[in-house]
Amino acid sequence: MQKFIKETTKKKLVIPYDVLERCGFQRGEPLEIRTMTDAAVILKPQMHAMEVVHVIDQLQQLMQELSLCLLESCDQCDGTDQCVESTNGRCPYLPAAKNTLRPEVLQEAGIPKGVKLCAWVNEGTNSVTVTQADYRYDLTDVPQRLLASLAVMHMCMGSLEERLMAEDIVYG
């Protein structure tokens, strides 16, 4: 699998034919473009079984490469960290059931609908203060199946959440 960096213009992205040729595309053949959040994949619109096997194999290689980039940017969790031991073996960073506030409460507080919230306990008053968070992403934005895969790789969820909240560059 080769990597090419190609600049875009305001109107288009030009992919040199030799790049497409290396992928096995024929001149004049239609292409299927799958758009994803933060990525795109170009496929043949029709493939026989071995071509599909090749694509799956190479996408898995790419997934492993990207996972390694993320893993290298985060701390390792060996399950004996003090945070895990103090929570009966469950990582305290993994999202629990979502707590939500009624829309009218958010509206009255001037908090836009759909934003991240921060909460903390006010000592001695038996109350909780809730405010709009100053970050866009946290572990609740990561699909559950991916969180499970990352946990199997012993990625520290607290470290990952820090990278998400800070929007740190971990690839490239």
Side-chain angles (χ1 to χ4, degrees):
M1 183 174 358
Q2 294 180 322
K3 177 177 165 180
F4 298 90
I5 304 291
K6 188 73 179 143
E7 297 293 324
T8 61
T9 67
K10 289 186 178 195
K11 294 186 178 188
K12 61 184 174 178
L13 165 67
V14 177
I15 301 173
Y17 183 72
D18 66 317
V19 171
L20 296 174
E21 200 172 54
R22 289 179 193 201
C23 298
F25 296 123
Q26 301 300 314
R27 191 176 297 271
E29 176 183 45
L31 302 173
E32 178 180 317
I33 301 174
R34 294 284 185 108
T35 61
M36 299 175 258
T37 304
D38 303 317
V41 176
I42 301 172
L43 301 166
K44 292 179 179 179
Q46 294 182 329
M47 294 183 275
H48 57 70
M50 197 64 217
E51 290 171 319
V52 172
V53 167
H54 289 149
V55 171
I56 291 169
D57 180 51
Q58 292 176 54
L59 286 173
Q60 284 181 332
Q61 287 177 30
L62 179 58
M63 184 189 76
Q64 290 173 350
E65 179 185 326
L66 293 173
S67 297
L68 188 58
C69 288
L70 194 56
L71 189 60
E72 287 174 349
S73 74
C74 295
D75 297 330
Q76 287 269 313
C77 178
D78 61 6
T80 60
D81 293 0
Q82 187 176 9
C83 66
V84 174
E85 288 175 357
S86 67
T87 55
N88 297 324
R90 186 182 189 290
C91 178
Y93 295 102
L94 287 174
K98 286 189 176 185
N99 291 320
T100 58
L101 296 175
R102 293 189 326 266
E104 60 270 15
V105 171
L106 293 173
Q107 184 178 11
E108 188 175 329
I111 299 173
K113 187 177 176 183
V115 299
K116 300 281 182 206
L117 301 175
C118 287
W120 61 90
V121 175
N122 301 309
E123 295 292 326
T125 64
N126 294 332
S127 64
V128 175
T129 299
V130 178
T131 63
Q132 181 176 341
D134 61 352
Y135 53 87
R136 294 190 301 169
Y137 307 110
D138 60 24
L139 287 177
T140 63
D141 298 300
V142 179
Q144 197 64 38
R145 68 183 182 283
L146 184 53
L147 278 178
S149 295
L150 297 173
V152 167
M153 294 169 30
H154 303 289
M155 181 179 295
C156 173
M157 294 299 134
S159 180
L160 174 58
E161 186 157 62
E162 288 173 11
R163 302 295 171 287
L164 292 167
M165 292 167 73
E167 297 188 43
D168 290 342
I169 301 295
V170 297
Y171 175 78

